[in-house]
Amino acid sequence: DGCGNLLYCIIGSYLLYFYTDVFGLSVATAGAILLFTRLLDAIDAPIWGFIVDHTKSKYGQSRPYFLWLCVPFAVFMWLTFTTPALSGTTKIIYAVVTYILAGIFYTGIQTAITSILPNLTRRPGERVILNTFRMVGGNIGAFICMTFTLPLVAFFGEGNEQKGFSYTLAFFGIIAIVLFIVAFKNLREVNVEKIKSIPIKDSVKAIKGNWPWILVVIANLIFWIALTIRLSTVVYYCQYYLGDKSLTVFINGIMLVQVIGMISIPLLVKRFNKYGTMILGFILVAGGHIGIFFVGTNIELMIVFWIIASLGQGIACSMPFAMLSDTVDFGEWKTGIRASGFLTAIGSAFCIKAGWYRRFYSSSCYEFIWLCAECSPIFNSIIWYTICIYMASCNNFLMWNYSNAFLS
């Protein structure tokens, strides 16, 4: 997960900036590309889920995809942030194709990362701990990406951001390939010989009556819409609202404190159960954004509330992945079908990518910023929009208590 975030979080944090300020696309064109590609590649998550459910190899069911997909994923991420000597329609086509393929390969690896968890152990407590390690690793990858991307771009590019982004992605890509291979060599799925290839129709049947899964998917989808809006507007928030683009690196670096929230999850689950821990995370992240709204341009207080929001984000981001493993077991008990690939693909990779309008929304806000002399009302609306989305997801998880009885 650290490898995946090391590369793919650059898309959430810097792709819109790269397209408009480095690659040379207009804001409208960049927004249209983000909208189109999200509509197109949102369907790849269930397809990857079906593929994983049909996989039966000597390496396991999910594990081999770390080996098979690491190189194409890294290559197309590098191509996405490389600026060729193209112009006009050809340049736009290049951006669309490379972005779509990078997203497709990411979904494949993300599906394997999530679907392997139910096959590593059947003990719910161990899954929470394993998922905590997974999310901490992912957070470290995201921290390295968001904190060091711009400094590395400046270092490698020497004033040329096109060159800087290309070299930075190549550097990250090599690291990711090596670590994916390390993960492949050292992970083992239990009961591999009992894993069966199931038909597509059986994978879909695993959804029937699986209300815990439906609740997790809805809440996780809403959460990733809010999170991606938050991540993709940080650089503009610092540059146009706070008046200092260099603060982007510092603010993104602060997000490392969410590791504290992730590490605390096993203890919180013992005290509040899984759904209560998830709701706590949403309350913290929404409360942090409310504080950010009221402090305005007071950087010191903004940092305090950003830390609070990051703690909540660490909890809210981690819990759905642990809960998905339980819904796989519930689906097997309910229908007799263990569709770990399909159920976890929809619940994780699909949720991360299917809120396609979130980056289109961010690009639209960016276009308004260029048109308006006073941008604070726009950023205030973004903050409150994000708060409302987080609280909507929190409300959805209040229903988890009801379905939790069925899980028991």
Side-chain angles (χ1 to χ4, degrees):
D1 203 32
C3 300
N5 285 352
L6 178 65
L7 288 173
Y8 203 72
C9 279
I10 297 179
I11 285 182
S13 299
Y14 297 112
L15 183 63
L16 181 58
Y17 170 78
F18 174 79
Y19 275 164
T20 57
D21 290 39
V22 181
F23 195 75
L25 298 178
S26 67
V27 177
T29 301
I33 290 175
L34 297 177
L35 176 64
F36 171 74
T37 52
R38 288 281 70 81
L39 284 169
L40 188 62
D41 74 2
I43 63 173
D44 63 357
I47 293 175
W48 276 113
F50 293 139
I51 293 173
V52 171
D53 283 338
H54 278 74
T55 301
K56 187 175 183 180
S57 73
K58 63 180 181 180
Y59 301 121
Q61 186 178 58
S62 303
R63 173 176 163 246
Y65 289 98
F66 298 158
L67 177 66
W68 296 341
L69 299 182
C70 63
V71 173
F73 171 51
V75 168
F76 279 100
M77 280 298 303
W78 168 67
L79 291 174
T80 299
F81 284 88
T82 297
T83 306
L86 302 173
S87 61
T89 304
T90 308
K91 192 173 187 177
I92 296 173
I93 293 174
Y94 173 89
V96 171
V97 172
T98 54
Y99 181 28
I100 288 177
L101 290 176
I104 288 174
F105 288 119
Y106 168 75
T107 304
I109 285 185
Q110 180 66 27
T111 299
I113 291 171
T114 307
S115 64
I116 199 174
L117 182 59
N119 295 333
L120 293 177
T121 177
R122 281 188 172 271
R123 297 180 180 179
E126 289 184 352
R127 287 175 178 170
V128 171
I129 295 173
L130 286 171
N131 187 68
T132 298
F133 275 95
R134 173 252 175 105
M135 297 307 298
V136 169
N139 191 74
I140 292 173
F143 167 75
I144 294 172
C145 157
M146 291 184 289
T147 305
F148 295 104
T149 293
L150 290 183
L152 285 173
V153 168
F155 173 76
F156 287 127
E158 299 177 333
N160 184 340
E161 286 195 316
Q162 292 183 351
K163 175 184 174 183
F165 269 102
S166 182
Y167 282 22
T168 299
L169 267 293
F171 177 64
F172 284 161
I174 293 171
I175 295 174
I177 290 173
V178 172
L179 295 181
F180 271 125
I181 294 175
V182 170
F184 167 78
K185 288 178 65 66
N186 291 280
L187 275 173
R188 294 294 182 273
E189 295 175 81
V190 298
N191 300 322
V192 175
E193 68 279 359
K194 296 181 180 180
I195 295 176
K196 298 179 180 179
S197 175
I198 62 176
I200 293 177
K201 63 178 182 179
D202 286 347
S203 295
V204 177
K205 285 181 181 178
I207 299 176
K208 185 178 180 181
N210 198 337
W211 281 103
W213 178 84
I214 293 172
L215 292 175
V216 172
V217 169
I218 294 174
N220 204 25
L221 173 61
I222 296 172
F223 169 80
W224 278 99
I225 290 173
L227 178 60
T228 308
I229 291 175
R230 182 191 190 207
L231 294 178
S232 60
T233 54
V234 169
V235 62
Y236 302 122
Y237 179 77
C238 294
Q239 183 173 356
Y240 297 107
Y241 185 66
L242 299 179
D244 187 355
K245 181 182 174 183
S246 63
L247 285 173
T248 305
V249 174
F250 177 69
I251 291 177
N252 282 334
I254 292 175
M255 292 178 63
L256 187 62
V257 301
Q258 67 184 346
V259 170
I260 298 174
M262 294 175 179
I263 294 174
S264 67
I265 285 176
L267 296 176
L268 292 173
V269 168
K270 290 182 180 179
R271 177 65 180 84
F272 302 109
N273 296 321
K274 291 181 180 178
Y275 81 94
T277 302
M278 186 68 179
I279 291 174
L280 174 63
F282 282 125
I283 291 175
L284 287 174
V285 73
H289 280 82
I290 292 173
I292 291 172
F293 168 78
F294 283 109
V295 301
T297 57
N298 186 319
I299 296 178
E300 290 78 11
L301 290 177
M302 185 275 293
I303 290 173
V304 172
F305 286 109
W306 191 268
I307 290 174
I308 294 173
S310 295
L311 288 170
Q313 178 180 309
I315 297 172
C317 183
S318 303
M319 286 306 302
F321 297 98
M323 290 171 151
L324 283 170
S325 299
D326 294 338
T327 67
V328 171
D329 291 342
F330 182 83
E332 184 179 17
W333 172 79
K334 186 80 173 178
T335 64
I337 300 170
R338 187 171 183 81
S340 58
F342 178 71
L343 294 180
T344 57
I346 299 293
S348 58
F350 175 80
C351 291
I352 294 173
K353 298 176 67 177
W356 43 262
Y357 81 88
R358 59 191 184 259
R359 289 192 189 112
F360 178 73
Y361 172 84
S362 300
S363 66
S364 300
C365 291
Y366 179 41
E367 188 169 13
F368 282 124
I369 291 169
W370 278 106
L371 295 174
C372 298
E374 177 57 55
C375 61
S376 57
I378 299 172
F379 283 112
N380 288 337
S381 69
I382 294 174
I383 292 172
W384 277 107
Y385 180 64
T386 306
I387 291 168
C388 291
I389 295 176
Y390 280 129
M391 294 311 298
S393 190
C394 177
N395 179 69
N396 186 73
F397 258 94
L398 289 173
M399 300 175 63
W400 176 270
N401 191 28
Y402 172 76
S403 63
N404 195 47
F406 293 99
L407 279 175
S408 298

